[in-house]
Amino acid sequence: MKELESELEQRRADGLYRKRRIIDSAQGVETRIDGKSVLSFCSNDYLGLANHPDIKQAFIDAVATHGIGSGAAHLINGHSRPHEALEQRLAEFTGRERALLFSTGYMANIAIGSALLGRNDLVYLDRLNHASLIDGARLCDARLMRYRHNDFTQLEALLGESHRDQRRLIMTDGVFSMDGDCADLDNLSRVAAEHGAWIMVDDAHGFGVLGARGAGLLEQLDLDQQQVPILMATLGKAVGTAGAFVAGSEALIETLIQQARPYIYTTASPPALAAATLKAIDIVEKESWRRDKLGESIAYFRARAETLGVELMASHTAIQPIIIGDNHKALQVSNALFEQGIHVTAIRPPTVPVGSARLRVTLSAAHEREHIDRLFEALNSVGISA
Ligand SMILES: *Cc1c(COP(=O)(O)O)cnc(C)c1O
């Protein structure tokens, strides 16, 4: 294994080495990590639900009734009453005919392409798509095409080169996970419809936070199942639990149940998790103050950044990256912030393009103004401001 050691050494030299910190507290704004109390600005727990007492209680109550393990895959005997109830709730919440649960978003994304496309078909990806969508496209037999970020004109040209007898699937992040901007879905879905292509939106970072009820970017843009036939979203971010789902037509969901290997050949997630998620969806829908408060924090953060000369990206979501550029520098800034009790991870290639290493700051409904002030004081002291 000598060659592995030298590869790891090279990775370190390139500033690409990744290291895990150990968290001892529950997820939240104030956490205990690597033995230090810090303010966290890098969780995807956008609504502050990951440690919510009512959701925890729902989980505990369901463990009492349903136990812990599901025991088998959904198609054997692992599909429990809470799983079924959650699927119905998610379908109704997103305004789709049906929904199907997956153990993780990564698995949902690798399931879709391989279940729907064959070797004669084509899959189109935005260049800034999440790694799981890229892997989903790579792991299916269809030919992979990539278009420039949100460039529906280039996508249209690429679609024009294909044949109508080929199945064509466009896959895009809804909210781009590392930049925080949104897919231009009005145009993308129009282009898809004009060319008879399918479009799939991964709303991992929009579900729960966007839309008046929190049903995500498609609710915000008022795009229905006809316009966006495949919706995928995750439950481990704003919803505060874990897992993911795909929502769409009866035929889509039935096809996934019959054909999607990452659905068929894996043990169903614990039933209690579905029960906890049901509770979490109720809170997401009812407590719109969480979205309002998050929106106020985003506006405050951006205003502070402008005053202090910290350059931001064109994002109006909870994801507010600060581009550093160099890998070593990004790591160094992140470590210096950690020393001051502020936790923001450095995101480096291949998660983001080479030369665009960044601090991926994420905001939560649980942040107060005073927390954001502390972040900017720390950024200022490590030299990130004009
Ligand atoms: C987090 C994420 C996923 C993966 O979801 P998991 O449930 O964490 O596996 C997929 N797509 C996007 C855009 C994500 O940010």
Side-chain angles (χ1 to χ4, degrees):
M1 309 241 100
K2 265 273 178 278
E3 71 255 45
L4 296 186
E5 284 169 24
S6 61
E7 281 168 17
L8 287 169
E9 224 21 77
Q10 186 58 49
R11 187 173 276 275
R12 232 182 233 111
D14 294 339
L16 293 175
Y17 205 86
R18 302 174 189 228
K19 211 172 117 263
R20 302 169 302 169
R21 293 190 191 275
I22 299 170
I23 182 160
D24 278 312
S25 58
Q27 210 42 241
V29 161
E30 282 160 337
T31 57
R32 201 160 170 81
I33 187 158
D34 276 0
K36 196 173 160 72
S37 293
V38 296
L39 257 184
S40 169
F41 285 95
C42 49
S43 174
N44 299 314
D45 179 24
Y46 301 123
L47 297 178
L49 296 181
N51 191 34
H52 191 288
D54 296 352
I55 303 172
K56 291 200 283 192
Q57 195 57 50
F59 189 88
I60 292 163
D61 292 347
V63 166
T65 316
H66 296 274
I68 299 169
S70 71
H74 285 274
L75 288 167
I76 307 299
N77 74 350
H79 187 64
S80 67
R81 182 65 59 193
H83 289 131
E84 181 65 23
L86 177 58
E87 289 183 348
Q88 288 180 14
R89 178 75 168 100
L90 290 168
E92 166 215 58
F93 187 53
T94 57
R96 265 67 190 159
E97 268 168 45
R98 268 186 87 180
L100 185 69
L101 285 173
F102 281 83
S103 298
T104 73
Y106 185 91
M107 288 170 72
N109 282 348
I110 60 173
I112 293 167
S114 53
L116 303 181
L117 305 177
R119 72 175 62 255
N120 192 35
D121 302 328
L122 291 151
V123 56
Y124 301 84
L125 301 184
D126 186 291
R127 283 219 169 265
L128 295 188
N129 273 353
H130 190 261
S132 58
L133 288 171
I134 299 170
D135 292 357
R138 283 189 184 145
L139 289 172
C140 73
D141 293 327
R143 207 166 125 215
L144 166 57
M145 313 280 268
R146 298 182 85 178
Y147 57 90
R148 284 184 298 270
H149 180 48
N150 262 336
D151 189 341
F152 65 90
T153 312
Q154 187 191 17
L155 172 65
E156 189 154 34
L158 292 171
L159 285 167
E161 293 165 10
S162 64
H163 299 286
R164 290 228 166 217
D165 63 341
Q166 294 177 297
R167 280 189 192 170
R168 283 132 330 136
L169 172 64
I170 302 156
M171 293 177 125
T172 181
D173 280 27
V175 174
F176 285 85
S177 60
M178 296 299 137
D179 287 33
D181 61 335
C182 295
D184 181 3
L185 285 181
D186 286 326
N187 279 310
L188 292 170
S189 63
R190 177 182 53 75
V191 165
E194 282 168 12
H195 288 266
W198 294 332
I199 181 163
M200 176 243 172
V201 173
D202 172 343
D203 205 21
H205 299 277
F207 190 68
V209 284
L210 299 179
R213 293 175 311 125
L217 183 60
L218 302 185
E219 182 195 359
Q220 186 178 73
L221 299 177
D222 199 17
L223 291 168
D224 64 18
Q225 185 182 299
Q226 298 304 317
Q227 292 155 304
V228 176
I230 310 171
L231 164 63
M232 173 273 179
T234 63
L235 303 167
K237 287 166 180 152
V239 177
T241 60
F245 69 93
V246 175
S249 69
E250 174 74 28
L252 169 72
I253 298 307
E254 223 23 75
T255 301
L256 293 176
I257 293 173
Q258 305 303 321
Q259 309 240 61
R261 297 166 70 90
Y263 182 77
I264 300 168
Y265 297 106
T266 197
T267 301
S269 58
L273 186 58
T277 305
L278 267 168
K279 184 73 202 171
I281 297 291
D282 285 345
I283 294 174
V284 164
E285 185 173 26
K286 282 200 201 102
E287 298 191 359
S288 55
W289 64 264
R290 292 178 188 271
R291 281 180 287 283
D292 297 341
K293 186 163 172 227
L294 176 60
E296 283 161 23
S297 284
I298 295 166
Y300 183 67
F301 174 90
R302 291 191 66 88
R304 291 293 292 152
E306 189 170 359
T307 311
L308 297 169
V310 177
E311 205 173 319
L312 297 180
M313 297 185 77
S315 161
H316 293 280
T317 67
I319 302 166
Q320 293 290 331
I322 299 171
I323 302 281
I324 306 289
D326 179 67
N327 300 335
H328 294 282
K329 173 97 192 290
L331 205 54
Q332 189 192 323
V333 171
S334 170
N335 287 336
L337 289 173
F338 191 77
E339 287 309 308
Q340 301 204 24
I342 303 283
H343 189 213
V344 195
T345 36
I347 305 286
R348 290 156 288 159
T351 310
V352 293
V354 172
S356 74
R358 65 195 67 183
L359 298 173
R360 178 176 177 271
V361 173
T362 52
L363 297 168
S364 152
H367 282 123
E368 304 296 339
R369 279 185 175 216
E370 171 249 328
H371 297 136
I372 297 172
D373 290 339
R374 275 172 61 193
L375 169 64
F376 278 105
E377 275 163 35
L379 284 168
N380 185 261
S381 76
V382 301
I384 305 295
S385 60

